Amino acid sequence: MIDLQDKNICSTMEELGEYVRNPLFTQFCSEIKSVYKCGENGVQLLRLIRIRRGED
């Protein structure tokens, strides 16, 4: 299980997918990477999601 609070760990997309457990997660990630031009870095993706939600 990944620790989302630990900023020293960079989770992989596979680890995040296991955590989310939603088949649409891969499609969502692809769209986010395309729109925001970000890489495979899971932390970067989570940060974009938080910014989008106004949490960061």
Side-chain angles (χ1 to χ4, degrees):
M1 179 113 195
I2 63 173
D3 182 3
L4 297 178
Q5 299 297 319
D6 188 348
K7 296 181 181 189
N8 296 316
I9 296 176
C10 183
S11 302
T12 66
M13 296 308 292
E14 291 80 21
E15 290 172 326
L16 293 173
E18 290 173 12
Y19 176 80
V20 172
R21 292 184 297 184
N22 186 323
L24 296 175
F25 182 72
T26 304
Q27 179 183 352
F28 170 75
C29 291
S30 295
E31 290 179 21
I32 291 292
K33 288 188 282 186
S34 174
V35 170
Y36 293 101
K37 310 292 188 256
C38 63
E40 291 289 325
N41 187 332
V43 172
Q44 189 178 37
L45 179 61
L46 287 175
R47 181 164 166 68
L48 285 172
I49 293 168
R50 283 190 220 129
I51 289 170
R52 191 78 171 152
R53 288 183 178 171
E55 297 174 5
D56 202 19

